Amino acid sequence: MAQPSYYTLVFAVTREIPRGRVSTYGAIADFLALGSARMVGWALNNSFHEEDVPAHRVVNRKGELTGRNHFPTPTLMQERLEEEGIRVEDNRVADFDEVFWHPKVLGMDYEVKVD
DNA sequence: GAGTTGACGAGCA
DNA sequence: ATGCTCGCCAACT
């Protein structure tokens, strides 16, 4: 693909999520101006085809681990987050407001590196 | 080709 | 505050 499609952008931004931080579908969709957070979720579903996409760091707006059912094992997502120092209680990020990360910190001039 | 589904979000009752 | 509805747009049946 010569030009990056929306999932390529989603993958790129998701990879930029710092360790110990989480982002949301809406934040990524808003940053990429995709128009809908569902597209981000769908894109991340295909992220399993990729390897370096930390999809476990992407949660919904409430901080709930809604995508855990789509992981190889439903507990993998929570385990990985806790492993990064993120407290997860009842399928939800406890310190969500603190660990929340918005892609806008990348800057508006952020260019996706696509090979 | 048409209708339904979905890792969501915002608005409204 | 909780619950329901609508909008988004690509993929799937």
Side-chain angles (χ1 to χ4, degrees), chain A residues 25 41 44-45 48 55-56 58-60 63-78 91:
Chain A
Y25 307 97
L44 283 176
N45 188 10
F48 286 105
H56 60 275
V58 183
V59 296
N60 69 359
E64 297 172 333
L65 282 53
T66 51
R68 72 186 194 162
N69 280 324
H70 293 259
F71 277 75
T73 58
T75 55
L76 180 62
M77 187 173 186
Q78 178 172 345
N91 303 324

Side-chain angles (χ1 to χ4, degrees), chain A residues 2-15:
Chain A
Q3 292 182 335
S5 28
Y6 67 85
Y7 12 107
T8 308
L9 298 171
V10 172
F11 296 157
V13 173
T14 304
R15 288 195 191 96

